[in-house]
């Protein structure tokens, strides 16, 4: 039975765009010929276009959403430059919309560019950089590039373990995503280890009776069944008494200071 990667981080990220322009970063590519008043006016327009892009996305009108984002990006590139964190956020979000429309090559360009800017401006150990790694990993998974997806999902986990100590739920979801990818790649032993890491965190956070933890038990039972370890499969199937893994809805990832 095929597992489903929890990519709710991608869905949540776009909801934070309304305040994206509050972020600032050093930038040498900003146009010097724009007055402060004109700059303020242009950024307000970029914000309006950005927010219209959010609304269109939420309505499922992805074509309009892309057009709004492209207009907003043109202004941001003119006013802020192509290496500003605000511009990086827009690149990331546009890439995620392209991912939703199945235009993976375009999505890869924009998500990768957003990641480069975040790494340069914020460093590798930052929640926004972790978000970009996660988004890139999920995109590569959608493209069928499982090994590369595993690589970036591991990087996401490494960063979160260093900087998001209190956000244990996020780490558990990333471990679960990694387990799904490892299982798809046929690496059952490491998939099992990743499932157990997610399970241990969720047992502490939610308890054994919660549906999230129950979903972990069901995933482990199904993997043991695939591995023909029927005794362990029965053991965890009994623990997953509230339903199968496919019926479980994992809590959404919430990474501070990020956007979809």
């Amino acid at each position: 039975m095929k597992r489903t990667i929890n990519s709710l981080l991608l869905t949540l990220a776009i909801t934070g765009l309304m305040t994206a322009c509050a972020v600032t970063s050093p930038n040498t590519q900003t146009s010097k010929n724009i007055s402060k008043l004109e700059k303020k006016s242009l950024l307000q327009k970029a914000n309006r276009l950005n927010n219209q892009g959010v609304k269109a996305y939420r309505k499922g009108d992805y074509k309009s959403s892309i057009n709004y984002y492209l207009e907003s990006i043109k202004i941001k590139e003119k006013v802020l430059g192509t290496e500003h964190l605000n511009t990086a956020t827009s690149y990331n979000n546009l890439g995620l919309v392209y991912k939703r429309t199945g235009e993976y090559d375009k999505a890869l360009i924009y998500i990768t560019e957003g990641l480069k800017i975040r790494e340069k401006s914020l460093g590798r150990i930052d929640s926004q950089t972790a978000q970009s790694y996660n988004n890139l990993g999920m995109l590569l998974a959608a493209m069928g590039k499982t090994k590369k997806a595993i690589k970036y999902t591991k990087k996401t986990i490494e960063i979160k373990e260093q900087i998001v100590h209190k956000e244990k739920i996020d780490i558990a979801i990333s471990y679960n995503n990694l387990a799904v990818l490892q299982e798809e790649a046929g690496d059952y032993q490491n998939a099992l280890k990743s499932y157990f890491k997610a399970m241990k965190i969720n047992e502490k956070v939610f308890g054994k009776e919660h549906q999230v933890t129950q979903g972990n038990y069901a995933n482990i039972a199904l993997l043991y069944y695939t591995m023909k370890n029927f005794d362990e499969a029965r053991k965890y199937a009994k623990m997953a008494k509230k339903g199968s893994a496919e019926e479980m809805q994992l809590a959404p990832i919430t990474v501070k200071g990020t956007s979809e």
Side-chain angles (χ1 to χ4, degrees):
M1 187 178 297
K2 188 175 181 180
R3 313 294 188 279
T4 302
I5 291 178
N6 178 16
S7 58
L8 288 180
L9 175 59
L10 305 186
T11 303
L12 283 182
I14 205 159
T15 64
L17 294 183
M18 299 279 187
T19 56
C21 283
V23 182
T24 59
S25 72
N27 183 359
T28 58
Q29 296 187 25
T30 305
S31 174
K32 296 179 180 179
N33 298 322
I34 302 176
S35 67
K36 289 184 178 180
L37 184 61
E38 185 182 0
K39 179 178 179 180
K40 181 178 179 180
S41 176
L42 286 170
L43 287 177
Q44 286 176 341
K45 182 179 179 180
N47 270 333
R48 287 194 298 271
L49 289 166
N50 186 86
N51 295 344
Q52 286 176 300
V54 174
K55 291 176 182 177
Y57 178 90
R58 289 173 177 168
K59 291 178 180 179
D61 185 359
Y62 302 131
K63 183 177 180 180
S64 294
S65 180
I66 288 170
N67 289 333
Y68 284 127
Y69 283 138
L70 286 171
E71 288 187 59
S72 179
I73 285 172
K74 283 182 181 179
I75 295 172
K76 289 182 180 182
E77 287 178 337
K78 178 181 178 181
V79 177
L80 301 174
T82 57
E83 294 185 2
H84 196 281
L85 283 174
N86 195 329
T87 311
T89 297
S90 293
Y91 289 153
N92 177 73
N93 294 327
L94 178 58
L96 292 171
V97 182
Y98 276 131
K99 176 182 179 293
R100 184 60 62 90
T101 61
E103 297 175 82
Y104 294 148
D105 290 339
K106 290 181 180 179
L108 187 61
I109 291 170
Y110 282 101
I111 290 175
T112 301
E113 190 60 31
L115 171 59
K116 288 178 182 177
I117 296 168
R118 285 173 171 176
E119 279 188 317
K120 183 177 180 179
S121 298
L122 302 170
R124 184 170 176 271
I125 309 304
D126 184 88
S127 61
Q128 291 189 55
T129 308
Q131 182 213 40
S132 286
Y133 276 128
N134 181 84
N135 290 344
L136 184 55
M138 296 302 99
L139 172 61
L140 290 167
M143 296 171 74
K145 298 182 179 181
T146 304
K147 288 185 178 179
K148 287 186 177 180
I150 289 174
K151 174 184 174 182
Y152 285 101
T153 303
K154 281 184 175 179
K155 287 184 178 182
T156 304
I157 293 170
E158 290 171 5
I159 296 170
K160 287 182 179 181
E161 284 182 330
Q162 294 184 59
I163 64 171
V164 200
H165 301 297
K166 295 182 180 179
E167 297 185 30
K168 297 292 184 182
I169 299 170
D170 293 2
I171 297 173
I173 291 174
S174 290
Y175 272 127
N176 185 80
N177 287 348
L178 178 59
V180 172
L181 293 166
Q182 288 169 327
E183 187 175 351
E184 288 183 355
D187 189 0
Y188 295 155
Q189 291 298 332
N190 280 322
L192 200 58
K193 289 178 183 178
S194 296
Y195 277 135
F196 273 116
K197 287 178 181 179
M199 181 196 75
K200 288 178 181 178
I201 293 171
N202 288 329
E203 281 182 339
K204 290 180 180 179
V205 174
F206 298 109
K208 295 181 179 181
E209 301 299 317
H210 194 279
Q211 65 175 10
V212 172
T213 314
Q214 293 279 307
N216 292 146
Y217 296 150
N219 282 337
I220 292 169
L222 288 167
L223 180 52
Y224 269 131
Y225 185 84
T226 301
M227 297 168 70
K228 301 188 185 305
N229 188 336
F230 301 121
D231 289 339
E232 290 297 313
R234 280 192 290 270
K235 173 184 172 182
Y236 283 94
K238 287 180 181 178
M239 294 171 70
K241 49 196 171 186
K242 289 189 177 180
S244 71
E246 314 312 325
E247 296 170 339
M248 300 303 162
Q249 293 296 318
L250 295 177
I253 298 176
T254 355
V255 180
K256 294 180 180 178
T258 61
S259 50
E260 187 163 87

